[in-house]
Amino acid sequence: MERMIAVIGGSGVYDIDGLEDARWQAVETPWGTPSDEILTGTLDGMKMAFLPRHGRGHVHSPTSVPYRANIDALKRIGATDVVSVSACGSFREDFAPGEFVVVDQFIDRTFAREKSFFGEGCVAHVSMAHPTCARLSAACLQAARDEGITVHDGGTYLAMEGPQFSTLAESKLYRENWGCDVIGMTNMPEAKLAREAELCYASIAMVTDYDCWHPDHDAVEVADIVKTLIGNAEKARGMVSRLPRLLGAHKPCDKGCEAALEHALITAPEKRDPALIARLDAVAGRVLGR
Ligand SMILES: CSC[C@H]1O[C@H](OP(=O)(O)O)[C@H](O)[C@@H]1O
Ligand SMILES: Nc1ncnc2[nH]cnc12
């Protein structure tokens, strides 16, 4: 299978550089319209796609991002590897603003979003024990190091609903009691949906602030985040441009991401809802025989 890397750009990352034959294309899905058009092209012989998570001009809030449409659209156009690039707050002194974290675990505290492609008429339970693809994450780590970025290998990302930032009590709870390393508002349900769609998913969190727990730093404000984001976005674009050479155009995933639905569907075939099955054409076509 020919591979395609899709980058979902978070706050401050609204495009990527250097694509050949680049064009923005509109993609419609059974789950609605994605956050924006998708930029497609090739880089070092590999197919690439880019989707700005909040839309160009940052129009979608973390709650209103159409996560299901985004993941379906990427799957529909042939993406195999999804690299999420996100801004985050840090719960660790040694994860400083300007540094990157290759996230490998999540705690999902979001509550006002659609979190699954499945449901009544076709129930599925996928494993989220290891929510990111170790192969894709390793390539991102290497790409960041090669780009000269200070990057941390592994970290737990607390996904909060937002859009307001955390209270001090919440920030301390996540940091001191729950052992979280970084905080953001968007990687869930994105990672869950990517797993349901049998896509490899890696998350690069770019530290912009110390949230509000740090006694020597003011509580986070958007203006401070934006200042750090400008430098981070440039580093992220450099990192992304190294991925095709590191991943190789045709190397398959050996971590099981692409077989996530193999034993996940539990609704009896005769009880399945044809309307839902039709909507699952891109996401679950492999196991539904469509
Ligand atoms: C602009 S500050 C808060 C905003 O930034 C992060 O977005 P993303 O994850 O898409 O980079 C955070 O999750 C919030 O949505
Ligand atoms: N402190 C923070 N909390 C939640 N999302 C963020 N994105 C960037 N910084 C953040």
Side-chain angles (χ1 to χ4, degrees), residues 87-89 160 165 183-185 208-209 211 220 225:
C88 71
M160 63 180 293
F165 293 114
I183 182 165
M185 304 178 190
T208 50
D209 55 86
D211 200 44
V220 57
I225 291 182

Side-chain angles (χ1 to χ4, degrees), residues 56-184:
R56 283 167 287 180
H58 206 115
V59 289
H60 296 286
S61 80
T63 300
S64 74
V65 168
Y67 295 98
R68 291 193 299 184
N70 288 354
I71 294 296
D72 180 294
L74 294 177
K75 177 90 183 181
R76 199 169 283 282
I77 64 166
T80 52
D81 297 86
V82 175
V83 176
S84 153
V85 176
S86 310
C88 71
S90 167
F91 290 133
R92 292 175 59 146
E93 188 81 53
D94 59 335
F95 285 11
E99 298 179 356
F100 285 19
V101 183
V102 179
V103 169
D104 63 351
Q105 281 296 332
F106 298 100
I107 293 180
D108 186 1
R109 287 260 304 157
T110 66
F111 51 81
R113 307 170 186 193
E114 295 290 351
K115 296 197 184 191
S116 179
F117 290 108
F118 298 92
E120 195 174 333
C122 189
V123 177
H125 302 281
V126 296
S127 171
M128 288 301 294
H130 304 289
T132 61
C133 173
R135 174 196 56 98
L136 186 58
S137 298
C140 292
L141 181 72
Q142 189 61 49
R145 285 190 176 142
D146 291 349
E147 191 63 20
I149 297 165
T150 302
V151 57
H152 303 278
D153 184 9
T156 298
Y157 174 115
L158 186 296
M160 63 180 293
E161 185 60 49
Q164 303 85 357
F165 293 114
S166 306
T167 64
L168 179 56
E170 288 165 338
S171 197
K172 284 179 158 177
L173 174 75
Y174 304 149
R175 171 182 143 76
E176 294 168 18
N177 299 76
W178 292 7
C180 297
D181 300 302
V182 294
I183 182 165

